[in-house]
Amino acid sequence: MYSRQHCRPISTVEVGTAYESLVVSTFNELGAQLQRVGGASDKGIDFNGSWKLPDHKRFYIVGQCKHYERKKIGPSVIREWEGVMSRQEIDTLGLVAATSGFTTSGIYAALSSKYPVALVTLTNAEKNDRLPGKHNSIHGFVWNMAAEPFIGRLMVAKQHFDIDKVDLDDPAEFTIQLFWDGKPLPIVSSTSQDPVPEP
């Protein structure tokens, strides 16, 4: 991968940082208040912050990003993430974001975890510019039972670019729309701009 501005190879660190920024900005557009914390001493956490959903208490979020062009995330990453979650406060939701999604065993590992975990498949929005809107980079969003107290009232719906397409499971042909109590996020409220508490 090359930088257009300087015509030089883009390092994996730069690619990873750009993906972390994309994940953070996408969720901030949905009402969260997140910031990047990646670095040599990040202890496995790439971003953190909080999310205040309508008529719901604010909760903390810690997250990790995996930017792989084709490789799906398996159970070993989820098990490592459980180690990170074991060191968090009880009112913390863990998000794992990946460009290429998760294997079946990876999803099962997350769903069976005792820690509140959500898996997000999120790609570069520039690849999916046929559908208007800010959040067309999300292609998957699942969570386990432990995460229900945090985001259990979320509804996830597919929105297809072209309903005449034969392969409606192709991630390039749909986006995910998130709803809270039947209303699409973000829902602007007077409490949405509360200060970000320290995780």
Side-chain angles (χ1 to χ4, degrees):
M1 188 175 295
Y2 289 83
S3 167
R4 294 179 181 177
Q5 182 177 0
H6 302 292
C7 296
R8 62 171 177 81
I10 299 177
S11 70
T12 55
V13 173
E14 289 175 304
V15 171
T17 298
Y19 184 62
E20 292 167 10
S21 297
L22 172 64
V23 173
V24 166
S25 63
T26 298
F27 274 90
N28 284 349
E29 288 167 354
L30 292 169
Q33 295 180 334
L34 307 179
Q35 57 275 316
R36 286 187 57 251
V37 294
S41 60
D42 60 16
K43 298 181 180 180
I45 296 173
D46 294 323
F47 61 87
N48 63 19
S50 66
W51 200 359
K52 173 70 171 68
L53 291 162
D55 301 319
H56 195 37
K57 67 177 183 179
R58 182 180 297 279
F59 55 88
Y60 298 117
I61 291 178
V62 292
Q64 188 175 81
C65 298
K66 296 294 183 182
H67 185 281
Y68 300 138
E69 287 295 331
R70 298 179 180 85
K71 181 182 177 182
K72 292 187 176 183
I73 302 304
S76 61
V77 170
I78 305 303
R79 286 192 291 268
E80 291 176 2
W81 182 243
E82 286 184 303
V84 174
M85 290 300 298
S86 69
R87 300 188 292 271
Q88 307 306 314
E89 298 293 333
I90 193 170
D91 58 344
T92 302
L93 173 67
L95 290 180
V96 180
T99 49
S100 299
F102 303 82
T103 65
T104 300
S105 56
I107 294 173
Y108 179 79
L111 294 181
S112 60
S113 176
K114 68 178 181 179
Y115 300 104
V117 175
L119 305 180
V120 182
T121 302
L122 196 152
T123 60
N124 191 330
E126 292 178 356
K127 297 180 180 179
N128 305 296
D129 56 2
R130 286 175 291 167
L131 188 70
K134 297 180 179 180
H135 319 304
N136 59 0
S137 53
I138 299 178
H139 293 287
F141 198 159
V142 298
W143 56 89
N144 61 7
M145 286 297 296
E148 282 286 312
F150 299 89
I151 53 176
R153 287 160 62 189
L154 271 181
M155 293 179 61
V156 179
K158 276 186 180 181
Q159 188 170 4
H160 290 280
F161 298 122
D162 185 354
I163 60 173
D164 295 325
K165 290 285 294 186
V166 175
D167 185 7
L168 293 181
D169 290 325
D170 182 355
E173 295 303 326
F174 68 86
T175 186
I176 292 294
Q177 175 68 62
L178 301 180
F179 294 83
W180 184 263
D181 286 345
K183 299 178 181 179
L185 291 178
I187 301 173
V188 178
S189 68
S190 58
T191 60
S192 62
Q193 299 301 318
D194 290 345
V196 181
E198 290 295 330

